[in-house]
Amino acid sequence: MRIILLGPPGSGKGTQSTYISKCFNITHLSTGDILRSEVNSSTDLGIIAKKYMDKGDLIPDDLMIKAIKNQIVHLSSGFLLDGFPRTLAQAKSLDLLLEQIKNPLDKVICLNVSKEEILNRLSFRAICNDCSHNYNLATTPPRVKNICDMCGGKILIRSDDNPEAIINRLRIYDNLTLPVIDYYESTTKCFSVKAFGKPEDVFKTIENLLRL
Ligand code: ADP
Ligand code: ZN
């Protein structure tokens, strides 16, 4: 199965991806996670990417396409793309690649959340460095400050979860990623899902769509 998960920052793409990849046994490719790991290892790509990511800007299309292409061609049994494509140029180059390897997309799922909810989620978001569990410091803080309830790991705030970068990420989403949704919406493979309420309930809806 080849799936794309689209949605604004804070719509729960990471959380839903974890459920989907476990349930359907497919590889989860998160461009955000791939780039953050490149940044942590100070690779050439990571050093360049950090400058863009900290401000909430997208890294240039050519770099991103090159980084993800290598991974996709090796996943003949399927994948779940989370955070890619984010621009029309990325979507078109993905189409071309999938056509070349004769592996068309099965479904595109778009998560929908209100701006107010996104701002609340991102402004108070903190993430465990070890198990990636998400906390909202205003509504669901950890029992012990900075320590993960699940695994005892250290809880961190992403460097792009600050007010300026959040506003920039939302603006970029509207300007560059909404056209990608329009692009897929003209196909029969695209499904829109309301992404508020309990994560498990959102997943139930996604699971039903993927089993159609
Ligand atoms: P979010 O959806 O919360 O903004 P991600 O973890 O998906 O965060 O991405 C974090 C950052 O990584 C983005 O703000 C951007 O700088 C970079 N990035 C991720 N995916 C892409 C992409 N497809 N094209 C360009 N930059 C990307
Ligand atoms: Zn943890």
Side-chain angles (χ1 to χ4, degrees):
M1 186 149 48
R2 284 167 295 278
I3 308 165
I4 293 178
L5 188 61
L6 293 169
S11 57
K13 296 190 295 291
T15 308
Q16 294 304 325
S17 292
T18 308
Y19 285 119
I20 298 168
S21 64
K22 269 196 197 134
C23 181
F24 292 92
N25 196 23
I26 48 177
T27 304
H28 170 205
L29 281 180
S30 155
T31 44
D33 288 350
I34 292 169
L35 291 170
R36 277 185 288 277
S37 130
E38 298 277 336
V39 170
N40 287 337
S41 315
S42 296
T43 62
D44 291 346
L45 173 60
I47 290 166
I48 299 173
K50 185 170 170 40
K51 288 192 231 137
Y52 294 94
M53 293 171 80
D54 282 350
K55 286 192 271 174
D57 286 332
L58 295 185
I59 73 156
D61 280 336
D62 53 341
L63 281 181
M64 193 70 251
I65 291 167
K66 199 168 146 218
I68 197 89
K69 241 183 178 175
N70 289 334
Q71 313 226 12
I72 289 177
V73 287
H74 293 113
L75 292 172
S76 52
S77 61
F79 53 74
L80 165 64
L81 284 179
D82 154 15
F84 186 92
R86 259 171 147 104
T87 64
L88 273 180
Q90 292 181 9
K92 288 181 180 164
S93 78
L94 177 66
D95 275 355
L96 207 63
L97 175 70
L98 295 179
E99 226 169 80
Q100 279 164 1
I101 59 174
K102 297 197 168 44
N103 279 335
L105 279 177
D106 292 299
K107 293 205 172 91
V108 178
I109 306 279
C110 301
L111 301 181
N112 284 319
V113 191
S114 70
K115 276 253 155 65
E116 196 189 356
E117 172 75 10
I118 290 171
L119 283 173
N120 171 16
R121 287 185 188 177
L122 294 181
S123 306
F124 298 102
R125 179 164 74 172
I127 303 165
C128 173
N129 196 35
D130 292 342
C131 73
S132 301
H133 187 78
N134 268 243
Y135 294 88
N136 183 299
L137 297 179
T139 55
T140 55
R143 284 192 293 271
V144 181
K145 201 176 171 204
N146 299 334
I147 304 291
C148 178
D149 291 349
M150 306 291 155
C151 75
K154 196 170 170 200
I155 294 173
L156 302 173
I157 293 176
R158 258 170 59 171
S159 56
D160 57 351
D161 279 346
N162 63 70
E164 295 79 33
I166 290 172
I167 288 170
N168 193 30
R169 281 152 68 202
L170 291 176
R171 193 180 50 84
I172 289 177
Y173 182 80
D174 285 348
N175 293 339
L176 298 178
T177 312
L178 283 184
V180 175
I181 295 183
D182 288 343
Y183 174 75
Y184 287 122
E185 261 175 354
S186 60
T187 72
T188 52
K189 299 171 175 173
C190 189
F191 300 88
S192 177
V193 171
K194 286 201 184 81
F196 24 87
K198 284 203 205 120
E200 309 89 77
D201 294 340
V202 175
F203 174 64
K204 269 280 146 224
T205 309
I206 296 177
E207 186 187 357
N208 291 336
L209 285 172
L210 292 179
R211 291 198 192 282
L212 279 181

